[in-house]
Amino acid sequence: MPWEKSYAEAEVLEAAMRAFWEKGYQGTSMADLVEVTGLNRGSLYAGFGNKRELFLRALQHYDQSYRVGFLTQLRKDREPKDAIIATFDAIAQGDTTMPGGCLMVNSAMELAPHDDEIAHVIEQSMGEVEAFFADCLAQCEDRVRSPAEISETAKVLQGLMVGLLVMTRANRESPSIGAILSQVRSLIG
């Protein structure tokens, strides 16, 4: 008799994602994944292959659920310059109900140097954030920028965002946070 899944895949990916986000890939054991998902090992392996494959799916789930949804909503609700500022303000304020930092950035530091497929997923996600910044900058009507300046500024904003994500994970009270926010405002001013 063939195996049939009897769980909501999105719920399993959300639970696994949170475990990886909190403990990192190396720090999350299969026992942890069994506990947080409520599935037994056999069901996890049958449905997702192995820990690495489950991680990749959870990372993609994170990207679609958090990054894409968050940036889409900002662009919908705000003017371009305000969308950029709101991105940084949201990171600085953080959500204390969520694990620290950004799963993409955390995974970039932990896994990307050793895993080309994970590095590709992260690079693609980060590229889309950079494109979000570039699109917002191109639409700012208060300042005319050349395509080269837009591209360069978007890259700098991306770097500042990654730095802010790392800083807020390490110390939510770091004085560097205010300096980064100030720099963002002056860059897009």
Side-chain angles (χ1 to χ4, degrees):
M1 181 169 184
W3 176 82
E4 284 187 41
K5 73 178 185 179
S6 60
Y7 55 83
E9 188 172 293
E11 291 175 14
V12 171
L13 290 173
E14 181 75 18
M17 177 206 70
R18 287 177 180 270
F20 288 125
W21 196 354
E22 184 177 334
K23 296 181 176 187
Y25 178 79
Q26 296 298 333
T28 304
S29 68
M30 281 306 288
D32 294 329
L33 294 168
V34 165
E35 182 179 337
V36 299
T37 63
L39 298 178
N40 64 41
R41 280 180 194 265
S43 293
L44 280 173
Y45 285 120
F48 300 96
N50 57 36
K51 177 181 163 182
R52 183 182 171 283
E53 291 302 315
L54 177 56
F55 175 78
L56 270 169
R57 298 268 305 277
L59 190 61
Q60 291 163 339
H61 171 79
Y62 169 87
D63 193 43
Q64 289 301 306
S65 299
Y66 291 85
R67 183 201 46 91
V68 171
F70 174 69
L71 295 180
T72 299
Q73 194 64 45
L74 284 178
R75 277 303 279 129
K76 182 179 166 191
D77 294 346
R78 292 178 165 70
E79 293 298 316
K81 186 186 293 187
D82 294 336
I84 294 171
I85 291 170
T87 301
F88 284 86
D89 286 345
I91 294 167
Q93 293 165 5
D95 181 347
T96 57
T97 65
M98 302 297 275
C102 162
L103 184 59
M104 284 291 170
V105 172
N106 298 349
S107 301
M109 292 186 295
E110 180 184 10
L111 298 169
H114 315 291
D115 189 311
D116 291 340
E117 187 176 7
I118 290 171
H120 177 73
V121 170
I122 293 166
E123 185 177 322
Q124 183 175 2
S125 177
M126 295 292 185
E128 290 174 15
V129 173
E130 184 180 313
F132 165 80
F133 289 142
D135 181 57
C136 288
L137 291 166
Q139 293 183 34
C140 287
E141 296 173 0
D142 62 335
R143 183 171 167 196
V144 177
R145 293 178 170 93
S146 70
E149 182 185 2
I150 288 170
S151 177
E152 184 176 303
T153 304
K155 288 177 186 348
V156 171
L157 288 170
Q158 171 74 358
L160 287 170
M161 186 192 80
V162 170
L164 183 60
L165 286 160
V166 171
M167 293 305 302
T168 57
R169 175 154 179 136
N171 176 8
R172 289 194 185 272
E173 305 301 319
S174 171
S176 297
I177 293 170
I180 291 170
L181 295 176
S182 176
Q183 190 64 31
V184 168
R185 282 174 172 77
S186 70
L187 266 174
I188 64 173

